[in-house]
Amino acid sequence: MRKKKRMFSRGVMFVLCLVFAVLFLLPTVLTITNSFMSESEIKANYGMIFSTTGGGFVSKHVNLKFIPDRVTLSQYISGLIKSPNYLIKYWNSILLVAPIVVFQVAIASVAAYSFTRWRGKIRDGIFFFYVILMLMPYQVTLVPNFLVSQWLGIINTPWSIILPGIFAPFSVFLLTKFMRRIPYSLIEAAKVDGANEWQIFTRICLPECRSALYSIAILVFIDYWNMVEQPLILLKDADAQPLSVFLSNINSGEIGLAFAMATVYMIPSLLLFLHGEEYLVEGIANQGSVKG
């Protein structure tokens, strides 16, 4: 009887997980499949959704279609070959996000090691300040960031995005919690063997936090790869804005092109996640435990 109940509960959980997985993947699948449709087919399937006329009423002509009648690459050709604006915006995204990921992880590693090794009330106060900053949504700190960037004279430059991103507290908080789980006996043993602080940091702490570093890098990349508010406020020049802003402002006459460019825009995030899935799961599950 218990075995039947257990099997029934597992079956119910499997069905629920399957339903949520389908609902979660549905927008992504629609985006990819619709990117191979022609503009006329998209308009015929979705009716009034993308219409500029009317009061936003979705008519009965809306048809969620996963398989195009005729597969075409015209949207990709238009976006990647005929319209250089998309490639420029794509390159802007890379130039903004890559330095943020690299330097945020590097600075967070040093800061987390300092919070781990430094003892005292001052450390606790500074760390509590980091936690408060992390809990604040970016919209709250957007105005102070704008004022500071204006005072520094970096408005409408990539530095207005990169500098706040490099010193974000999110990575410091997670990596500090991770490093504090490293057994202190390892550090004591290294000190007995004559290792200095730099050697302890590079040869013990960083290798033990490899999964955490990869997890943080993936989360930071996805967060800033999809940013809209920051470049929209801090980068007034449209030519300097990333593709995420450009896609959010695309007009209703280029929906097929938007599907194609959104698919291309998803590729780096998907590749990074698939490549580091093992580290991401390990970093979340193990929380800094040391393997024997």
Side-chain angles (χ1 to χ4, degrees), residues 111-123:
Y113 180 75
S114 301
F115 281 126
T116 302
R117 299 282 289 136
W118 180 28
R119 306 288 181 178
K121 294 182 178 180
I122 299 178
R123 181 208 65 174

Side-chain angles (χ1 to χ4, degrees), residues 164-240:
I166 287 176
F167 298 101
F170 172 75
S171 301
V172 178
F173 174 78
L174 289 185
L175 203 53
T176 300
K177 292 296 184 181
F178 208 97
M179 282 190 180
R180 286 180 179 177
R181 293 179 177 269
I182 299 177
Y184 193 71
S185 58
L186 289 178
I187 298 176
E188 288 293 333
K191 292 173 67 177
V192 171
D193 292 337
N196 56 32
E197 293 293 336
W198 178 252
Q199 291 172 331
I200 294 173
F201 172 65
T202 56
R203 298 184 182 181
I204 295 179
C205 291
L206 288 184
E208 293 294 339
C209 295
R210 181 175 57 181
S211 58
L213 292 172
Y214 215 112
S215 301
I216 291 171
I218 293 175
L219 295 176
V220 171
F221 178 86
I222 294 175
D223 184 25
Y224 284 92
W225 188 252
N226 299 317
M227 62 181 172
V228 175
E229 297 93 344
Q230 300 97 311
L232 195 61
I233 300 299
L234 299 174
L235 297 177
K236 299 179 180 178
D237 188 4
D239 294 333

Side-chain angles (χ1 to χ4, degrees), residues 5-282:
K5 290 182 178 180
R6 191 181 302 113
M7 293 180 63
F8 177 76
S9 61
R10 289 180 178 179
V12 172
M13 289 299 298
F14 175 79
V15 172
L16 289 176
C17 291
L18 182 63
V19 170
F20 282 113
V22 171
L23 292 176
F24 180 79
L25 292 175
L26 184 61
T28 303
V29 174
L30 280 175
T31 301
I32 295 174
T33 56
N34 290 341
S35 66
F36 294 100
M37 294 182 183
S38 62
E39 194 74 36
S40 58
E41 185 177 356
I42 292 175
K43 291 180 179 179
N45 288 330
Y46 296 110
M48 294 292 294
I49 288 182
F50 300 118
S51 177
T52 56
T53 61
F57 174 72
V58 180
S59 70
K60 61 181 180 180
H61 300 291
V62 174
N63 178 29
L64 295 180
K65 195 171 183 179
F66 292 92
I67 302 177
D69 293 334
R70 184 174 63 88
V71 176
T72 177
L73 298 177
S74 59
Q75 313 293 359
Y76 290 95
I77 295 175
S78 300
L80 298 177
I81 299 177
K82 296 182 180 180
S83 302
N85 286 334
Y86 290 96
L87 291 179
I88 294 175
K89 303 293 184 181
Y90 198 90
W91 183 245
N92 290 342
S93 300
I94 297 175
L95 292 179
L96 290 174
V97 177
I100 292 176
V101 174
V102 173
F103 287 103
Q104 184 178 145
V105 172
I107 293 175
S109 302
V110 178
Y113 180 75
S114 301
F115 281 126
T116 302
R117 299 282 289 136
W118 180 28
R119 306 288 181 178
K121 294 182 178 180
I122 299 178
R123 181 208 65 174
D124 295 335
I126 296 176
F127 189 74
F128 178 76
F129 182 69
Y130 262 89
V131 174
I132 295 300
L133 287 178
M134 189 189 69
L135 293 176
M136 291 184 180
Y138 187 82
Q139 290 78 6
V140 175
T141 59
L142 186 58
V143 174
N145 282 337
F146 179 84
L147 295 176
V148 172
S149 299
Q150 193 174 40
W151 179 70
L152 293 175
I154 58 175
I155 289 291
N156 204 32
T157 66
W159 293 110
S160 61
I161 304 294
I162 294 174
L163 287 180
I166 287 176
F167 298 101
F170 172 75
S171 301
V172 178
F173 174 78
L174 289 185
L175 203 53
T176 300
K177 292 296 184 181
F178 208 97
M179 282 190 180
R180 286 180 179 177
R181 293 179 177 269
I182 299 177
Y184 193 71
S185 58
L186 289 178
I187 298 176
E188 288 293 333
K191 292 173 67 177
V192 171
D193 292 337
N196 56 32
E197 293 293 336
W198 178 252
Q199 291 172 331
I200 294 173
F201 172 65
T202 56
R203 298 184 182 181
I204 295 179
C205 291
L206 288 184
E208 293 294 339
C209 295
R210 181 175 57 181
S211 58
L213 292 172
Y214 215 112
S215 301
I216 291 171
I218 293 175
L219 295 176
V220 171
F221 178 86
I222 294 175
D223 184 25
Y224 284 92
W225 188 252
N226 299 317
M227 62 181 172
V228 175
E229 297 93 344
Q230 300 97 311
L232 195 61
I233 300 299
L234 299 174
L235 297 177
K236 299 179 180 178
D237 188 4
D239 294 333
Q241 293 176 348
L243 186 58
S244 55
V245 176
F246 198 59
L247 289 176
S248 66
N249 293 330
I250 200 164
N251 61 61
S252 59
E254 299 177 326
I255 299 303
L257 193 59
F259 281 135
M261 291 301 100
T263 301
V264 174
Y265 201 62
M266 286 189 293
I267 292 176
S269 300
L270 292 176
L271 292 178
L272 186 62
F273 174 78
L274 294 176
H275 177 69
E277 180 182 4
E278 181 180 353
Y279 293 105
L280 182 61
V281 174
E282 181 183 353

